[in-house]
Amino acid sequence: MRVTRLVPVGAVLLALALAGCGSGGDTGRVPPTATGSLEELAAEVECEPDVQTDADEIRQAICRTEQGRFVLATFATDRGRREWTDEAKDYGGHYLVGRKWVAVGDEGVVRALRGTLGGELEAGADHHAHGG
């Protein structure tokens, strides 16, 4: 299930102007951010979710697609998703964030998922700079 929102024309023009700048990692069109249950989101990316957590506030599953393995989590509230993501990012990793959901995996995997699910790419803390 997808929900489409109207975006002001200025925001669209700004996004198009910025699309030419940056690292060049995302060259395709990004669809509107997907919404739905864990199962609905998993179906969008053709994954059979292996549910690991099934609680009122969070549902979490391991998924595998042609692009690779990732964790998909859905939340009862946007605040719950935001708090979970803020804490998880302390451990590093790559995140694709939507409304009440997040996908976590290798950078290439979450970039590929973005082509289907939309959402925003976020990176966790970089621990490689810390040497001994």
Side-chain angles (χ1 to χ4, degrees):
M1 177 176 176
R2 290 187 180 271
V3 176
T4 306
R5 289 184 267 166
L6 295 176
V7 179
V9 173
V12 171
L13 294 175
L14 178 60
L16 290 173
L18 293 175
C21 303
S23 65
D26 291 318
T27 58
R29 183 181 86 69
V30 177
T33 302
T35 60
S37 70
L38 181 75
E39 290 78 11
E40 290 168 332
L41 294 168
E44 287 279 335
V45 295
E46 299 177 0
C47 149
E48 183 66 38
D50 179 8
V51 177
Q52 304 291 306
T53 304
D54 192 359
D56 290 340
E57 293 298 315
I58 181 175
R59 296 190 70 225
Q60 186 171 309
I62 296 172
C63 280
R64 285 177 175 67
T65 64
E66 290 179 2
Q67 290 77 28
R69 180 179 176 267
F70 62 97
V71 173
L72 181 62
T74 56
F75 301 85
T77 65
D78 284 321
R79 180 179 176 175
R81 194 269 314 144
R82 187 173 47 254
E83 289 173 353
W84 184 93
T85 305
D86 288 347
E87 286 186 32
K89 286 168 61 176
D90 288 342
Y91 298 95
H94 298 277
Y95 302 81
L96 179 62
V97 180
R99 186 165 185 267
K100 296 185 186 178
W101 62 264
V102 63
V104 184
D106 290 336
E107 183 177 12
V109 173
V110 296
R111 284 187 180 280
L113 292 171
R114 188 175 191 224
T116 303
L117 297 176
E120 296 296 322
L121 295 170
E122 297 183 14
D126 181 4
H127 296 288
H128 290 97
H130 303 288

